[in-house]
Each structure stands twice: as structure tokens, then as C-alpha cells.
Amino acid sequence: MIFFCILFFISFILESLSSNLFKEFMPFFILGVITIISVSKLSKNRIIILLFIVGILYDLSYTNFIFLHGVIYVLLFYFAGFILKGKNNFFAMIFTYYLMVFIYSLVMLFYSIIIFNVNIIKLITIIGKSLLVNSIYFILLYITFIGIKCLTKNIKLKRTY
């Protein structure tokens, strides 16, 4: 659980830095952590509470709303868990990640059109340009997750001897 809290904190910081440093970039780093955490065998109640808190912190830091991202992150967690069903196959996880990015973008697009009257074409090009960097982050996150999982498995095996 501490590992995922650290990942959420790193992703939270990277979302603010990347969107401020690079123009026309949309970070989906927290969605990558949600995809990875959906196949973990941690308590679902703790994960939901953690996601809701991260969503509220995200809203308080970057938007003017309180519960929008908290609810979205919890719903995306259920969605990823439904699609993956405990499988940690790389291709299934990257497909789920892209699907979550698409759904999140659609929700934010509809929300932005209603509230802020945003241009759809510009938003689609921003998402397309930022998908490569987000994919690299997800791949590094997946490799880290598999590495930590193997390390903890080896530590448990050494303790049994």
C-alpha cells in the first residue's frame, strides 16, 4: 500500500510539472497508477478511499471542484477492474489504460464543452501529442510494478526457509 501511495504522489507531482512545462500536453499519469492498482490484491475499500482522497486533492490543487475527480477515479478503478479481472498481462493492461484515457477524455470533453466551450479538434490533437509520453510512463510504471512484485515474492520465499 505504501508503494501505491508513493506512486500516486509521484504521479500527482508529475501531472503538475508536465502540464506547466510543456504546452499542449495532457498528462494521464494517475490513470496509469489506477490501471496498475486494479490488478493488485490489496483491500478494495482502502484503494477506493485512497483514490477518492487523491481525486479530491487533485480537484483542490488543479480545478475549482471538490468531488469531480474523486468520483471519476473511483469509477475508472471499477471499470479497469471489470476489464482486467485480475490479469496483469501487459497487452491487456495497456489496452485498458488507453481505454481509460479515452473514457476520461470523453468525460472531460463533454464537461469542458458544457462549461467552458472548448474546441474539440484542439483537444484531440493535444491528447494525440501527449499519448507517447504517457505510454512511456505507463510502461515504466508496469516494469516497476512487476519488479516490486517479484521482489516481494522472493522475500516471502526466503522467509519460508
Side-chain angles (χ1 to χ4, degrees):
M1 188 69 163
I2 294 171
F3 172 68
F4 289 115
C5 290
I6 292 169
L7 282 179
F8 274 120
F9 181 72
I10 291 170
S11 298
F12 191 79
I13 299 297
L14 282 176
E15 290 223 9
S16 68
L17 290 176
S18 60
S19 61
N20 288 333
L21 292 176
F22 305 110
K23 271 199 176 268
E24 297 187 2
F25 180 76
M26 186 173 277
F28 299 113
F29 300 139
I30 293 178
L31 297 181
V33 179
I34 293 172
T35 306
I36 296 292
I37 203 170
S38 67
V39 296
S40 67
K41 298 189 189 302
L42 297 174
S43 169
K44 300 297 181 197
N45 291 333
R46 286 185 178 177
I47 294 172
I48 290 169
I49 292 169
L50 178 65
L51 286 173
F52 194 71
I53 290 171
V54 168
I56 290 174
L57 289 175
Y58 186 87
D59 282 335
L60 291 174
S61 298
Y62 305 125
T63 65
N64 291 331
F65 302 101
I66 295 177
F67 297 112
L68 178 68
H69 281 87
V71 172
I72 289 173
Y73 290 164
V74 170
L75 290 175
L76 286 176
F77 170 72
Y78 279 121
F79 178 73
F82 177 74
I83 290 179
L84 289 173
K85 295 179 183 163
K87 296 182 268 183
N88 59 357
N89 180 1
F90 174 73
F91 295 110
M93 290 184 79
I94 194 112
F95 174 74
T96 304
Y97 173 67
Y98 287 142
L99 202 57
M100 286 176 48
V101 166
F102 178 73
I103 290 171
Y104 178 78
S105 300
L106 277 179
V107 168
M108 288 295 121
L109 175 72
F110 288 132
Y111 173 74
S112 299
I113 288 174
I114 292 170
I115 303 294
F116 302 114
N117 197 13
V118 173
N119 186 0
I120 296 172
I121 304 294
K122 185 173 182 173
L123 190 63
I124 291 172
T125 57
I126 290 172
I127 292 170
K129 288 179 182 178
S130 61
L131 214 52
L132 177 67
V133 174
N134 286 308
S135 298
I136 291 170
Y137 179 76
F138 181 78
I139 291 169
L140 291 174
L141 195 66
Y142 180 79
I143 291 169
T144 305
F145 172 70
I146 296 299
I148 296 293
K149 193 174 180 182
C150 289
L151 283 175
T152 57
K153 188 175 183 180
N154 286 340
I155 289 171
K156 287 179 184 176
L157 286 175
K158 285 182 181 179
R159 287 184 184 167
T160 58
Y161 290 121

